[in-house]
């Protein structure tokens, strides 16, 4: 609960560029299908850092004070009158996006593309770095007994990797290239392995991140250049490391150079999945890739991934614990330090708040 023993709900508010402040956050009324969740673990995502540094992420612009955070898990405090599946005391992971369930995209099951989506900490919707939040019960997933609340919060980034693997039809016959060994590249590596990929090569410009990828089970790692002129050399080194055709490449950075590398390295008839969104627009050699019938697949967030993520964690097929490198409490000083740590990068992969 709030500081000083009071019951006031406090949250981390984004007030301006590089300005976060813990302030009171009034919760909406609990609806019949809602639950009130006491937050226990909240991770920092790259999008949270973007909002803090620039007050925008892609086309989403922060125009008024907003509660930040969307990777989260907690304990149910109260349930609405119609909620049958959860009870107070249940530990849950929260899927952060509330779709309308009425539009054609929702009806066909692609609810992640819903134009009316209300997503934690995507303006103007408030996020979840707070003592408590109110959320629909059907978007709160009960944690298996052997899964920690921190691991529950990690279902959100892991969901991006799982959705990407589903979109690209990854399986036991799919050799995988992952470009970018940041948090999303690493969860994509873990997801691809859980989906049965026999060989995974991951590339990055940073030695430390590559060493983490190797520890997490990458079959080979390749350090690449940041210079677009080196694409041909990088492709040669990547293909040599793979030792066979690359069936699916996941670009988890989203820059001209990474996408050009992915398109050139992937075998004829293979797939390139654009996961990261570093550049809003790119100039890439699409024509030669199209002539080799390389399919380009886009992904946006995820859909119906939490049950599978929790099963991967419960069964031990995926271990996300090594990704959590830094932990902070929920005080003004610690919130500022945590975001600085995440923004700095370096040895920080996933920064987690313990509330």
């Amino acid at each position: 609960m709030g500081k000083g023993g009071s019951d006031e709900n406090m949250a981390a508010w984004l007030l301006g560029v590089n300005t976060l402040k813990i302030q009171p956050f009034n919760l909406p009324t609990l609806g019949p299908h809602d639950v009130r969740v006491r937050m226990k673990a909240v991770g920092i995502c790259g999008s949270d850092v973007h909002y803090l540094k620039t007050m925008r992420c892609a086309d989403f612009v922060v125009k008024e004070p907003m509660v930040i955070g969307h990777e989260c898990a907690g304990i149910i405090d109260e349930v609405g009158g119609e909620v049958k599946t959860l009870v107070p005391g249940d530990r849950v992971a929260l899927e952060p996006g509330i779709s309308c369930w009425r539009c054609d995209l929702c009806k066909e099951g692609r609810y992640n593309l819903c134009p009316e989506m209300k997503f934690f900490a995507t303006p103007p919707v408030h996020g979840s770095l707070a003592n408590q939040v109110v959320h629909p019960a059907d978007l709160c997933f009960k944690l298996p007994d052997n899964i920690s609340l921190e691991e529950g919060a990690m279902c959100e980034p892991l969901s991006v990797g799982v959705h990407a693997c589903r979109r690209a039809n990854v399986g036991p016959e799919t050799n995988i290239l992952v470009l970018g060994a940041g948090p999303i590249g690493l969860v994509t590596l873990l997801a691809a392995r859980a989906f049965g990929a026999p060989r995974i090569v991951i590339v990055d410009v940073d030695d430390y991140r590559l060493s983490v990828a190797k520890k997490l089970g990458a079959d080979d790692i390749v350090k690449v250049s940041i210079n677009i002129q080196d694409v041909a050399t990088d492709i040669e080194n990547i293909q040599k490391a793979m030792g066979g055709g690359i069936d699916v490449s996941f670009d988890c950075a989203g820059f001209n150079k990474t996408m050009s590398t992915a398109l050139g390295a992937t075998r004829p008839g293979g797939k390139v999945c654009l996961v990261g969104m570093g550049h809003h627009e790119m100039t890439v050699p699409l024509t030669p890739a199209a002539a080799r019938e390389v399919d380009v697949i886009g992904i946006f967030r995820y859909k119906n991934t939490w049950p599978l993520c929790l099963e991967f964690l419960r069964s031990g097929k995926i271990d996300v614990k090594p990704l959590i490198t830094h932990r902070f409490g929920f005080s003004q000083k610690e919130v500022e330090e945590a975001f600085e740590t995440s923004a700095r990068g370096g040895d920080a992969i996933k920064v987690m708040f313990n509330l």
Side-chain angles (χ1 to χ4, degrees):
M1 305 301 278
K3 287 196 218 157
S6 77
D7 279 358
E8 191 165 31
N9 187 43
M10 305 298 281
W13 289 79
L14 175 59
L15 302 178
V17 171
N18 289 329
T19 310
L20 279 171
K21 196 148 195 252
I22 295 182
Q23 296 183 158
F25 176 34
N26 295 325
L27 290 177
T29 312
L30 191 75
H33 297 281
D34 294 335
V35 292
R36 185 161 50 81
V37 187
R38 192 163 17 108
M39 287 289 106
K40 300 302 284 181
V42 182
I44 297 179
C45 170
S47 67
D48 295 319
V49 174
H50 268 292
Y51 285 125
L52 177 63
K53 298 287 175 198
T54 65
M55 296 294 279
R56 69 178 298 153
C57 189
D59 293 330
F60 299 105
V61 181
V62 181
K63 294 175 178 161
E64 54 194 34
M66 178 183 83
V67 176
I68 204 139
H70 64 269
E71 303 178 0
C72 56
I75 298 171
I76 304 281
D77 263 357
E78 187 183 358
V79 301
E82 297 295 318
V83 175
K84 306 283 192 284
T85 52
L86 296 166
V87 296
D90 281 347
R91 301 176 319 127
V92 291
L94 282 67
E95 180 173 348
I98 306 169
S99 53
C100 77
W101 292 118
R102 286 184 295 275
C103 70
D104 289 343
L105 285 161
C106 281
K107 284 177 175 176
E108 70 182 46
R110 301 188 76 173
Y111 68 84
N112 55 314
L113 304 177
C114 174
E116 302 296 317
M117 176 70 82
K118 293 178 174 62
F119 194 93
F120 278 155
T122 299
V125 183
H126 290 306
S128 60
L129 183 47
N131 298 131
Q132 298 187 33
V133 299
V134 167
H135 206 53
D138 66 291
L139 295 173
C140 297
F141 298 85
K142 201 169 166 180
L143 298 182
D145 291 342
N146 65 336
I147 298 301
S148 70
L149 286 150
E150 284 189 339
E151 291 168 274
M154 289 295 293
C155 283
E156 198 280 340
L158 181 57
S159 284
V160 176
V162 165
H163 183 58
C165 287
R166 280 179 173 166
R167 288 271 291 147
N169 288 325
V170 172
E173 296 179 309
T174 325
N175 286 329
I176 302 290
L177 169 65
V178 178
L179 297 105
I184 292 298
L186 295 174
V187 293
T188 302
L189 157 70
L190 294 173
R193 184 66 85 211
F195 272 76
R199 186 160 177 81
I200 305 171
V201 172
I202 190 162
V203 310
D204 202 282
V205 297
D206 185 89
D207 286 316
Y208 172 73
R209 295 208 155 180
L210 287 172
S211 71
V212 173
K214 194 79 174 117
K215 285 192 197 108
L216 288 172
D219 294 293
D220 210 342
I221 53 176
V222 179
K223 188 175 184 182
V224 290
S225 147
I226 55 170
N227 194 328
I228 194 86
Q229 272 75 48
D230 296 329
V231 165
T233 309
D234 286 344
I235 288 171
E236 201 178 315
N237 293 336
I238 289 163
Q239 288 176 331
K240 194 189 286 181
M242 181 60 80
I246 294 165
D247 301 300
V248 175
S249 293
F250 291 106
D251 181 356
C252 296
F255 296 114
N256 286 332
K257 173 153 191 301
T258 51
M259 196 62 180
S260 298
T261 305
L263 290 166
T266 304
R267 70 164 174 81
K271 298 186 182 87
V272 173
C273 188
L274 180 55
V275 184
M277 295 185 179
H279 280 161
H280 194 53
E281 291 183 1
M282 293 190 218
T283 305
V284 294
L286 203 51
T287 313
R292 296 182 358 262
E293 294 196 357
V294 172
D295 293 344
V296 177
I297 299 166
I299 75 155
F300 186 63
R301 294 175 178 151
Y302 34 67
K303 62 187 178 77
N304 299 316
T305 48
W306 260 253
L308 182 56
C309 288
L310 289 171
E311 175 53 26
F312 279 152
L313 295 175
R314 184 202 65 76
S315 63
K317 272 195 164 182
I318 289 180
D319 181 8
V320 289
K321 292 190 291 295
L323 296 179
I324 305 167
T325 53
H326 294 72
R327 292 172 174 84
F328 291 87
F330 188 53
S331 66
Q332 180 66 40
K333 182 168 178 285
E334 286 180 286
V335 166
E336 290 171 4
E337 279 178 15
F339 272 88
E340 281 164 22
T341 303
S342 185
R344 229 181 5 252
D347 65 344
I349 298 172
K350 184 55 63 179
V351 177
M352 186 72 67
F353 290 104
N354 294 130
L355 284 78

